[in-house]
Amino acid sequence: MADNAQNQSIALAHVRKNEEGKWKEHLLHEHLERVSYLAGQSASTFGSEDWARIAGLWHDLGKYREKFQQYIKSASGYDAEAHIEGTSGRVDHSTAGAIYAIEKLGLQGRILAYLIAGHHAGLPDWNNAESGQSLLSQRIKTGKQNGYLQEALDATPPAEILNQSHPQSLPPNGSLALWLRMLFSCLVDADFLDTEAFMDDKRSSLRSGYPSIAALKSAFDQHMVDKVANAKESAVNRIRAEVLRQCREKAELPSGLFSLTVPTGGGKTLSSVAFALNHAVRHGKNRVIYVIPYTSILEQTAEIFVGIFGAENVIEHHSNLDPDREDARSRLATENWDAPIIVTTNVQFFESLYAAKTSRCRKLHNIVNSVVVLDEAQLLPPEFLAPILHVMQDLANGYKVSFVLSTATQPAFSPRPKFTGLKNVCELMDDPERLYADLKRVEAELPDDFASPRTWESIAGELQQYQSVLCIVNSRKDCRELHGLMPKDTIHLSALMCGQHRSQVIAEIKQRLKDRIPTRVISTQLVEAGVDMDFPVVYRALAGLDAVAQAAGRCNREGMLTQPGKVVVFVPPKPAAPG
């Protein structure tokens, strides 16, 4: 009995050498208890603390196996990632806890088994081989045959770890799959954080010290005071001020689903942030997540936020992020989104909510109790609309997430036959139709014959009649072809350009327009949403009505022309791609 007591007290979770070259030991029971506490704390935000707490206690139960203890002692001195299984020579340490959960808690244990078995390799399927991962049913069977659990129990882990009652809390309303991923997120983040705190305490210390949402709101309010003080008196700016006022006022509404329907140039971006910050302070929410369809828009929006809140408080998470713009702290924050303001893409946000990998799921629990602004909501991909709206409804109903659908061309997401849609969406503007009438700043010219395409040569000839003009086409190939027919000083803009180059060109265009320098631009549709340009004339290749409306938002944006701006829709030589 004394030997067993000694075994449980010296069983190791991790080991490393300190700066003096001395061994530092991370005792297994301390690791299990700490992960249990951290996971439970995260899951308490959606009422499932008891589930996450048990998962934390049992997730590394297999490390009590003698084979694992021999392995970790022989491999001592590894870095922070050394505890991740799957490489040559590793010893299975996650299956034993999964088996124990099923044997101890029955069907409830099956749920915990997914979390425990997958806490390094990712959430497994039970019996579907298409995922390419090892099947949980097979792992359980093999683990039982090889005596993994019995080996762990032979080391007599502490009774306070083994003896747990059935969890009593019920899942939040909505998908069980989403709930499972949320619990998984709590477990894997807690495991990583506690391991990191032991292996690299300097790295771990970088995760703290963010200002409160209330402090960020104060910074934003001061920015808006300065912005209004420096703004010219105009009808457009008066309307923007009214949009801002209504967004702040409606922030008092209960948490839920909201739409912000404001014409292009009406100040949606900053007004949506005003709503998000005020709503977060009013309802005690943890962070603001700004979700954007294109990286070209994201880069510019992030720059605006950095100017308001400081680079250290705004985390960009997308595939095109320039490593030179990152630092150690921002890289850490992209792992689990524990910063107060996150700027990310539709792809990163929604794919993570249906992911199985630990790296993608780790941040999910930090979406809970947040405000999520979906900028340019009309650009949500139609082919994935059903799962996107489904998970949004579940997050709003069960996880205290408020969504804002922000766009000038609001999509029809209300429920109808054969379309579940979104229920109980509240519009933030009192009278959107009046806003569109008041913000009318352009006249549109449509083709006389929609069946008769024009040549690029004729379009190029027309464009050269204007000193400053923006022409938006449907593809990068069209953009290159038309640009080749224009004078040499014409600016080319497309998604083929790297992010930094694109940002530089957009900044140059804005400055030229501000300085009233003649500026001709041929661009793909990347400028149609979220890019603050103001041309007197805009040409748009025939596309969907929403695309035409967005293009018109780049024309007479500030309403400073004595006559309405001119928007010309033309039929290009080749039609737009399907969709």
Side-chain angles (χ1 to χ4, degrees), residues 248-264:
R248 282 173 166 159
E249 184 180 278
K250 300 293 175 60
E252 296 291 316
L253 292 170
S255 182
L257 298 167
F258 302 93
S259 58
L260 175 59
T261 310
V262 175
T264 53

Side-chain angles (χ1 to χ4, degrees), residues 14 30 41 78 81 151 180 231 242 245 256 284 305 310 337 343 459 508 560:
H14 314 95
E30 292 178 352
Q41 196 175 44
Y78 275 20
E81 302 300 317
E151 285 181 40
L180 191 79
E242 176 59 18
R245 183 195 67 77
F305 292 173
W337 286 8
V343 185
I459 296 299
E508 177 190 350
M560 303 303 286

Side-chain angles (χ1 to χ4, degrees), residues 118-120 183-193 358 361-362:
H119 76 271
H120 287 307
L183 287 173
F184 185 61
S185 171
C186 295
L187 174 63
V188 297
D189 192 36
D191 187 28
F192 273 104
L193 290 175
T358 54
C361 290
R362 182 178 172 185

Side-chain angles (χ1 to χ4, degrees), residues 24-261:
K24 188 175 180 181
E25 298 175 341
H26 195 190
L27 298 181
L28 180 52
H29 72 276
E30 292 178 352
H31 175 58
L32 297 178
E33 289 166 357
R34 181 62 179 169
V35 171
S36 173
Y37 170 76
L38 292 174
Q41 196 175 44
S42 295
S44 66
T45 58
F46 54 96
S48 297
E49 179 179 0
D50 48 355
W51 291 87
R53 187 181 58 77
I54 296 172
L57 286 174
W58 294 348
H59 81 287
D60 273 356
L61 206 56
K63 286 188 175 182
Y64 279 104
R65 295 174 60 200
E66 180 61 26
K67 287 181 181 177
F68 184 87
Q69 290 301 307
Q70 291 175 353
Y71 156 72
I72 195 171
K73 289 169 185 176
S74 68
S76 58
Y78 275 20
D79 61 19
E81 302 300 317
H83 72 295
I84 297 179
E85 60 189 66
T87 59
S88 177
R90 302 293 184 183
V91 177
D92 185 318
H93 71 267
S94 55
T95 304
I99 296 170
Y100 186 72
I102 294 173
E103 292 187 355
K104 184 79 172 175
L105 302 178
L107 288 176
Q108 287 181 317
R110 174 79 71 89
I111 291 171
L112 294 173
Y114 282 103
L115 315 178
I116 294 167
H119 76 271
H120 287 307
L123 281 169
D125 287 326
W126 180 258
N127 58 6
N128 180 2
E130 293 180 4
S131 68
Q133 293 177 273
S134 58
L135 303 177
L136 183 54
S137 59
Q138 185 59 47
R139 284 181 61 181
I140 297 295
K141 181 179 178 182
T142 301
K144 286 182 176 180
Q145 291 172 347
N146 294 335
Y148 290 173
L149 175 60
Q150 192 56 52
E151 285 181 40
L153 296 178
D154 285 345
T156 57
E160 57 267 27
I161 287 175
L162 293 177
N163 299 332
Q164 300 298 318
S165 302
H166 285 257
Q168 299 299 310
S169 64
L170 296 176
N173 292 329
S175 164
L176 288 176
L178 177 61
W179 177 62
L180 191 79
R181 284 185 175 86
M182 284 294 183
L183 287 173
F184 185 61
S185 171
C186 295
L187 174 63
V188 297
D189 192 36
D191 187 28
F192 273 104
L193 290 175
D194 187 57
T195 302
E196 179 182 86
F198 171 77
M199 300 299 291
D200 190 349
D201 53 359
K202 292 181 180 178
R203 174 184 167 101
S204 180
S205 66
L206 293 173
R207 294 187 181 275
S208 59
Y210 288 111
S212 66
I213 291 289
L216 294 175
K217 175 184 173 297
S218 295
F220 176 84
D221 290 343
Q222 184 57 54
H223 172 83
M224 296 307 295
V225 168
D226 296 341
K227 186 178 178 67
V228 170
N230 295 323
K232 295 179 181 179
E233 176 65 24
S234 70
V236 171
N237 282 332
R238 285 194 294 273
I239 292 171
R240 289 171 180 164
E242 176 59 18
V243 171
L244 178 64
R245 183 195 67 77
Q246 290 188 42
C247 280
R248 282 173 166 159
E249 184 180 278
K250 300 293 175 60
E252 296 291 316
L253 292 170
S255 182
L257 298 167
F258 302 93
S259 58
L260 175 59
T261 310

Side-chain angles (χ1 to χ4, degrees), residues 283-529:
H283 297 288
K285 297 190 180 296
N286 298 329
R287 61 189 41 82
V288 173
I289 304 173
Y290 210 89
V291 184
I292 299 174
Y294 299 142
T295 53
S296 57
I297 310 172
L298 189 151
E299 290 156 358
Q300 296 165 79
T301 304
E303 285 181 12
I304 294 171
F305 292 173
V306 165
I308 299 171
F309 304 112
E312 67 279 8
N313 299 318
V314 179
I315 302 304
E316 295 179 58
H317 194 182
H318 56 93
S319 60
N320 285 359
L321 187 60
D322 182 354
D324 292 338
R325 296 174 63 180
E326 291 187 286
D327 58 24
R329 192 184 196 196
S330 65
R331 280 192 291 272
L332 292 177
T334 60
E335 294 175 353
N336 67 349
W337 286 8
D338 59 355
I341 297 180
I342 307 293
V343 185
T344 190
T345 59
N346 287 345
V347 171
Q348 181 65 239
F349 184 82
F350 287 108
E351 284 191 357
S352 295
L353 287 161
Y354 285 96
K357 292 183 178 179
T358 54
S359 58
R360 299 298 296 273
C361 290
R362 182 178 172 185
K363 58 184 173 285
L364 296 186
H365 71 91
N366 278 329
I367 296 174
V368 177
N369 195 36
S370 63
V371 185
V372 178
V373 179
L374 296 179
D375 193 27
E376 306 298 348
Q378 81 282 357
L379 293 175
L380 290 173
E383 62 271 32
F384 301 121
L385 206 53
I388 284 173
L389 300 186
H390 186 272
V391 78
M392 285 174 61
Q393 193 79 60
D394 282 352
L395 287 169
N397 291 347
Y399 298 89
K400 297 183 284 188
V401 179
S402 286
F403 281 95
V404 180
L405 297 158
S406 175
T407 176
T409 49
Q410 199 67 240
F413 286 163
S414 56
R416 54 188 181 273
K418 298 184 179 181
F419 181 70
T420 305
L422 291 176
K423 300 174 183 176
N424 303 318
V425 179
C426 176
E427 171 60 47
L428 296 178
M429 293 295 100
D430 293 336
D431 191 352
E433 291 186 9
R434 181 175 178 180
L435 280 178
Y436 280 81
D438 291 345
L439 278 171
K440 181 175 172 59
R441 291 152 291 168
V442 303
E443 294 290 346
E445 296 181 9
L446 301 179
D448 293 329
D449 183 359
F450 283 87
S452 298
R454 296 182 56 181
T455 65
W456 289 128
E457 287 78 7
S458 69
I459 296 299
E462 257 184 52
L463 294 176
Q464 292 176 55
Q465 297 175 19
Y466 304 102
Q467 287 192 324
S468 290
V469 61
L470 167 66
C471 182
I472 303 174
V473 295
N474 292 320
S475 72
R476 291 175 290 196
K477 182 179 178 182
D478 289 351
C479 192
R480 287 197 305 272
E481 191 170 343
L482 179 56
H483 182 263
L485 298 172
M486 295 293 291
K488 289 186 177 180
D489 62 349
T490 303
I491 296 173
H492 171 271
L493 193 58
S494 85
L496 279 176
M497 303 158 70
C498 72
Q500 184 175 354
H501 185 204
R502 188 170 58 231
S503 295
Q504 289 173 347
V505 171
I506 290 173
E508 177 190 350
I509 293 170
K510 290 180 178 180
Q511 191 61 48
R512 288 173 64 97
L513 292 170
K514 184 178 180 180
D515 296 339
R516 300 183 183 277
I517 298 172
T519 304
R520 299 189 184 102
V521 177
I522 310 299
S523 176
T524 60
Q525 56 265 43
L526 71 87
V527 299
E528 274 182 354

